[in-house]
Amino acid sequence: MDTSSLMEQIVSSGNLNRAYLQVVRNKGAEGVDGMKYTELGEHLVKNGEIIKEQLRTRKYKPQPVRRVEMPKPDGGVRNLGVPTVTDRFIQQAIAQALTPIYEERFHDHSYGFRPNRCAQQAILMALDMMNDGNDWIVDIDLEKFFDTVDHDRLMTIIGRTIKDGDVISIIRKYLVSGIMIDEEYEDSIVGTPQGCAAARIYVKL
């Protein structure tokens, strides 16, 4: 698949409309700018063309994600990153363009964060394998996986498939956009925030 002009697909009206509808369906909390998802439509009416041009010319600058701590059922907390609603919209548009490209490359027995797939299907597949005579199921949880993703290695993997420099640029910008913890800014030199569309793409790569 030719990915040299992928940005034009990302900023196409049809793709952006789908991204907007998905962000509104997902609802979600405000990011660092305080904008609610219910305000996104009006914001895009006023600024949509500017945002599209900024993406085309590599001038768009993502805002830091807002750090939120969510308790884990077994104790401790999971750090989630809440992007601004505008960044969620752009990330969703990017994810929609990348997903069909990478769907062709994923293992058939991969079920996480994929369209029309779920954990229940993975369980049924595991049961089928057991019925076929396999005796072992291994459950692995990679501790702090999202927090330790190496940016350079990730971009190298993405660059093997995505040949549009504008898309590579905006993905890199999201990786290094930073984190706001209360009122303190922190650089994001490693890792990718959980809880956003970008993370769902990264984890599958």
Side-chain angles (χ1 to χ4, degrees), residues 30-36 40 43 47 51 54-55 59-67 81-91 170-181 185-188 193 196 198:
E30 303 91 78
V32 295
D33 62 355
M35 184 188 298
K36 296 177 172 57
L40 178 60
H43 175 68
N47 301 286
I51 292 170
Q54 288 176 334
L55 289 170
K59 293 180 180 179
Y60 183 82
K61 184 178 180 180
Q63 296 193 60
V65 298
R66 181 168 62 87
R67 169 68 56 82
V82 181
T84 66
V85 68
T86 303
D87 283 326
R88 291 207 298 273
F89 162 70
I90 295 171
Q91 289 177 11
I170 190 61
I171 292 174
R172 169 71 77 169
K173 286 180 179 179
Y174 273 116
L175 287 171
V176 299
S177 61
I179 302 163
M180 289 297 293
I181 306 173
Y185 173 84
E186 183 177 297
D187 287 328
S188 49
C196 60

Side-chain angles (χ1 to χ4, degrees), residues 121-135:
Q121 291 173 313
I123 293 170
L124 291 174
M125 177 57 68
L127 290 173
D128 285 343
M129 290 180 173
M130 292 175 65
N131 291 333
D132 288 340
N134 295 285
D135 299 326

Side-chain angles (χ1 to χ4, degrees), residues 86-102:
T86 303
D87 283 326
R88 291 207 298 273
F89 162 70
I90 295 171
Q91 289 177 11
Q92 181 64 36
I94 295 170
Q96 289 169 181
L98 294 183
T99 294
I101 296 170
Y102 285 104

Side-chain angles (χ1 to χ4, degrees), residues 45-190:
V45 168
K46 295 179 179 178
N47 301 286
E49 290 302 318
I50 295 173
I51 292 170
K52 287 167 64 174
E53 186 60 22
Q54 288 176 334
L55 289 170
R56 287 186 174 112
T57 57
R58 307 190 189 187
K59 293 180 180 179
Y60 183 82
K61 184 178 180 180
Q63 296 193 60
V65 298
R66 181 168 62 87
R67 169 68 56 82
V68 176
E69 293 183 346
M70 298 293 290
K72 292 183 179 180
D74 56 351
V77 295
R78 175 178 286 109
N79 291 325
L80 300 182
V82 181
T84 66
V85 68
T86 303
D87 283 326
R88 291 207 298 273
F89 162 70
I90 295 171
Q91 289 177 11
Q92 181 64 36
I94 295 170
Q96 289 169 181
L98 294 183
T99 294
I101 296 170
Y102 285 104
E103 273 295 303
E104 297 179 351
R105 298 168 173 267
F106 293 145
H107 195 284
D108 192 47
H109 293 169
S110 169
Y111 292 90
F113 302 101
R114 294 182 64 184
N116 304 313
R117 293 188 177 226
C118 62
Q120 288 82 356
Q121 291 173 313
I123 293 170
L124 291 174
M125 177 57 68
L127 290 173
D128 285 343
M129 290 180 173
M130 292 175 65
N131 291 333
D132 288 340
N134 295 285
D135 299 326
W136 291 87
I137 295 177
V138 181
D139 181 18
I140 299 174
D141 184 11
L142 299 177
E143 184 177 5
K144 297 186 181 299
F145 169 78
F146 284 95
D147 296 335
T148 57
V149 171
D150 183 279
H151 293 172
D152 290 335
R153 292 184 66 181
L154 176 60
M155 294 309 302
T156 297
I157 293 171
I158 293 174
R160 292 172 187 163
T161 306
I162 306 304
K163 303 305 179 183
D164 188 326
D166 298 336
V167 177
I168 294 290
S169 174
I170 190 61
I171 292 174
R172 169 71 77 169
K173 286 180 179 179
Y174 273 116
L175 287 171
V176 299
S177 61
I179 302 163
M180 289 297 293
I181 306 173
D182 296 324
E183 299 299 321
E184 297 283 330
Y185 173 84
E186 183 177 297
D187 287 328
S188 49
I189 58 175
V190 68

